[in-house]
Amino acid sequence: MTEKNILAYFKSPEEAQHAASKLQSLRVADMSIDRFSADPGGELNDPMNPLTGKITSLTTLTLNADISGPSAGILGAADPSASGMSGGGQDGTEGRDILLTVVLDENVFPQAMRLIEESGGMI
């Protein structure tokens, strides 16, 4: 049995979970749902006062990135998403930070692709 994989991007974990539940009826060898980001860091667990706190970079304030030093801070702040000064989203990927990874039998690959697209996924 030959296997194929699919990487599908969704706008919400609920959309990805809906697609995953549909895919369970197929012969799925492995499946996972993950959130990813271009910036290191995560939930805002350590709130600070921007007027008195140590601020490494604009990216630290706007994207809650965990910046390792001044050079990384400059690079992160150069990204349009840090300042919000970009229209962005011209390629349709805007807001798709949920990744559904599926490994399945190649015989059901076309059907799986169709199910994912019908569930709002971008492949």
Side-chain angles (χ1 to χ4, degrees), residues 33-45:
I33 298 173
D34 300 295
R35 182 176 297 256
F36 65 93
S37 172
D39 303 304
E43 299 288 328
L44 185 58
N45 294 325

Side-chain angles (χ1 to χ4, degrees), residues 3-121:
E3 294 178 338
K4 287 195 144 200
N5 62 20
I6 301 173
L7 300 176
Y9 303 91
F10 290 87
K11 292 187 176 185
S12 73
E14 293 79 20
E15 281 184 348
Q17 190 59 47
H18 179 70
S21 64
K22 286 183 175 181
L23 291 169
Q24 288 296 341
S25 64
L26 304 176
R27 293 176 290 243
V28 173
D30 193 18
M31 184 167 27
S32 68
I33 298 173
D34 300 295
R35 182 176 297 256
F36 65 93
S37 172
D39 303 304
E43 299 288 328
L44 185 58
N45 294 325
D46 189 20
M48 68 168 181
N49 181 343
L51 297 175
T52 60
K54 181 180 175 204
I55 302 169
T56 310
S57 169
L58 173 66
T59 313
T60 305
L61 288 175
T62 58
L63 300 175
N64 193 36
D66 187 17
I67 302 297
S68 60
S71 296
I74 293 168
L75 184 61
D79 188 322
S81 61
S83 67
M85 299 300 288
S86 170
Q90 288 85 2
D91 60 359
T93 60
E94 184 73 23
R96 295 184 184 268
D97 62 345
I98 306 297
L99 176 65
L100 170 66
T101 306
V102 183
V103 179
L104 42 71
D105 183 53
E106 73 175 340
N107 295 328
V108 295
F109 183 76
Q111 185 180 358
M113 296 279 282
R114 189 173 49 255
L115 284 173
I116 289 170
E117 289 175 346
E118 288 172 358
S119 297

